């Protein structure tokens, strides 16, 4: 009893002050780079040259925007459209087929089930670099480099997501629902589409956010596969800002970066709760 | 006849529904891995040249990468060094924050807000982050040099990105900055999964904060710590975006990572696909070893036992059936 009373009253300032100081400093460290970036996007090169850090926005936003358009290399709209196309494709395919595979692994008893699952576990960690040389060579020979489909279709086999979906289904699938649907005369695929997918909505939502973001941020594979600038995704497009023609155009670089970063920050502002909860789910149990 | 329909064999749907995954896996993962492996044993250099198998000396490319050229070993050393310099402070800070955020005796306000803010850098495109930091460490002017000249006076600008150690540390710092929030969120969720009565018991027994943390919290989240360690290591071995876009592997190859080495060998003018493929396979081996350790530690002991039992049961059933 005594100890409980003590613990309720205990708020030692000597510990609380350092905690808040550290947390606030870290929060500033997380936000400041993006803040400086956005402010500098509105300032002219001469203003930035005089003082690279400022808390007051400048008035050169339109001017910077015009300059970016004049250079005709960094095309944010093209990059945005390509990234959106690929990321949506990847997300839809990965979600649907991973759920289907997870359903096959949970709802049916089949001979190779265990070995199939072991295989999925085994290949979960294969990094894309290991496949890159062979994949690029194959695509090149078939004339499929620069084909955006080659970045979308591999998502059908997403071992990591199958693993998570299977875990979710094992906890939430009641085989009796499937059986009663069968009695009502539903076909197996129909059962999956109409009954199982809706059950999986919470898991699908979390996985959708992460798949979309990681596909959007993917750099290595598109860099290897896409050589034509009209096919560039956002991260490949942003690479052009490192080029010589932007060497002295500080305002343009910051504006270009803002264009790639702001959509993500906006998405995060709305979905941060789910995203952080999803990261917490991703770990194994302690 | 009608009755027999009721016992439809559903087994085939298990296979049927796995086909799309299997096909995509064969085409987009297995075949490229095998093809990469094959190229590693050939003379394949240049875009259109034929790939001739190295009959006399199949491991020539592998030997070249590992022993004859110093560049790959340098890249491997850089990669591990950058990872370690990022991982130790990352884990340290994540553990400290976890200790604070999960201590019931301290009631910190705005925990959720801090978590969200700390995690923010992790979802931003790495490519953009790298170029942003390149701008920040610009010479002679950039936000960091702005601060330097304010403190030390004009003329004291530092050219950060031509200094080897500094550039390497900047890469480590960016990695640290992007990932400590992620690690912390995972650790906190691990600690929240511990049975609270253990903490209560410790409190009643008069354990202080440090004792509780080191004697109870850390041992209870051993698995998750190990999981974080190995996933971070695998991620670290695949580091590419930031070293490439921050300083393109420079200065003087100080931030050349293994992935950047592979990319440079194959795709930046020299078209040495065989060398790159051999290096890929070496990295693959290293990562497989790391993953094996991960899965060994992650395996659910209870479930493994259950599986064994189930297998035994099925065997006996089959035996009984055969006997009958």
């Amino acid at each position: 009893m005594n100890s409980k009373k003590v613990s309720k009253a205990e708020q030692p300032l000597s510990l609380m002050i350092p905690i808040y100081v550290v947390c606030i400093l870290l929060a500033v460290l997380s936000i400041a780079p993006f803040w400086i970036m956005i402010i500098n996007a509105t300032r002219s090169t001469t203003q930035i040259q005089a003082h690279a850090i400022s808390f007051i926005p400048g008035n050169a936003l339109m001017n910077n925007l015009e300059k970016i358009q004049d250079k005709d290399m960094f095309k944010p709209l093209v990059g945005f459209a390509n990234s959106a196309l690929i990321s949506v494709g990847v997300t839809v395919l990965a979600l649907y087929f991973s759920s289907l595979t997870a359903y096959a692994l949970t709802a049916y008893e089949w001979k190779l089930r265990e070995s199939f699952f072991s295989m999925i576990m085994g290949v979960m960690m294969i990094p894309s670099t290991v496949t890159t040389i062979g994949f690029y060579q194959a695509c090149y020979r078939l004339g499929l480099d620069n084909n955006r489909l080659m970045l979308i279709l591999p998502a059908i086999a997403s071992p990591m997501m199958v693993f998570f979906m299977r875990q979710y289904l094992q906890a939430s699938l009641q085989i009796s629902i499937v059986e009663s649907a069968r009695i009502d005369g539903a076909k197996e695929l129909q059962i999956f589409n109409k009954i199982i997918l809706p059950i999986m909505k919470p898991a699908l939502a979390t996985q959708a956010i992460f798949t979309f973001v990681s596909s959007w941020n993917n750099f290595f594979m598109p860099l290897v596969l896409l050589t034509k600038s009209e096919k560039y995704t956002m991260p490949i497009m942003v690479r052009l800002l490192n080029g010589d023609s932007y060497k002295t155009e500080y305002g343009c670089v910051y504006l270009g970066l803002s264009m790639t970063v702001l959509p993500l920050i906006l998405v995060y502002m709305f979905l941060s709760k789910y995203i952080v909860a999803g990261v917490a789910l991703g770990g194994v149990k302690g | 006849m009608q009755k027999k329909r009721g016992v439809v064999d559903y087994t085939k749907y298990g296979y049927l529904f796995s086909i799309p995954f299997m096909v995509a896996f064969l085409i987009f993962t297995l075949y490229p891995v095998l093809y990469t492996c094959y190229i590693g044993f050939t003379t394949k250099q240049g875009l259109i040249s034929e790939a001739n198998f190295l009959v006399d000396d199949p491991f020539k490319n592998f030997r070249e990468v590992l022993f004859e050229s110093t560049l790959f070993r340098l890249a491997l050393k850089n990669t591990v060094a950058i990872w370690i310099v990022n991982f130790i402070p990352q884990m340290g800070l994540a553990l400290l924050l976890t200790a604070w955020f999960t201590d019931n005796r301290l009631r910190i306000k705005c925990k959720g807000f801090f978590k969200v803010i700390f995690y923010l850098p992790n979802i931003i495109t790495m490519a953009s982050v790298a170029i942003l930091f390149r701008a920040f460490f610009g010479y002679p002017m950039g936000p960091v040099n702005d601060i330097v000249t304010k403190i030390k006076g004009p003329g004291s600008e530092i050219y950060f990105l031509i200094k080897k150690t500094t550039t390497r540390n900047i890469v480590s710092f960016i990695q640290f900055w992007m990932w400590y929030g992620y690690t912390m969120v995972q650790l906190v969720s691990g600690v929240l999964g511990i049975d609270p009565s253990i903490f209560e018991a410790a409190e009643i027994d008069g354990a202080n904060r440090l004792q509780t943390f080191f004697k109870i919290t850390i041992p209870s989240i051993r698995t998750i710590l190990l999981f974080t360690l190995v996933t971070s290591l695998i991620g670290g071995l695949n580091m590419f975006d930031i070293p490439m876009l921050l300083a393109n592997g420079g200065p003087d190859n100080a931030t050349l990572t293994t992935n950047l080495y592979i990319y440079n060998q194959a795709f930046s003018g020299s078209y040495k696909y065989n060398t790159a493929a051999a290096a890929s396979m070496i990295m693959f081996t290293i990562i497989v070893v790391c993953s094996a350790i991960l899965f060994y530690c992650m395996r659910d002991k209870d479930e493994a036992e259950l599986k064994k039992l189930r297998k035994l049961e099925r065997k006996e059933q089959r035996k009984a059936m055969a006997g009958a």
Side-chain angles (χ1 to χ4, degrees), chain B residues 245-259:
Chain B
L245 292 174
L246 184 76
N248 199 9
D252 194 17
N253 291 328
T255 56
L256 183 82
T257 59
T258 47
N259 263 9

Side-chain angles (χ1 to χ4, degrees), chain B residues 275-291:
Chain B
T275 319
S280 299
M281 290 331 281
I282 293 168
M283 286 315 289
F284 186 38
T285 316
I286 295 174
I287 288 166
V288 164
V289 171
C290 294
S291 309

Side-chain angles (χ1 to χ4, degrees), chain A residues 7 10 20 29-30 48 52-53 116 127 129-130 134 137 182 188 217 219 238 242 260 264 268 280 283 286, chain B residues 10 22 35-36 44 105 109 116-117 123 125 128 131 134 141 143 146 177 186 189 203 220 238 241 245 259:
Chain A
S7 80
E10 198 180 15
Y20 280 114
L29 193 65
S30 281
I48 297 172
I53 301 178
F116 183 55
T129 17
V130 177
Q137 279 295 319
R182 275 177 192 155
E188 292 300 298
N217 290 342
F219 180 67
V238 82
N242 257 358
T260 68
L264 284 165
Y268 189 62
Chain B
Y10 289 108
M22 226 32 236
Y35 195 33
T36 308
K44 176 84 182 153
R105 285 175 271 188
K109 281 180 190 139
V116 164
I117 296 292
I123 67 147
T125 318
S128 303
I131 294 170
R134 188 180 151 107
M141 57 89 23
D146 214 30
W177 178 72
Q186 291 224 318
S189 95
E203 204 177 316
S220 311
N238 280 308
D241 306 13
L245 292 174
N259 263 9

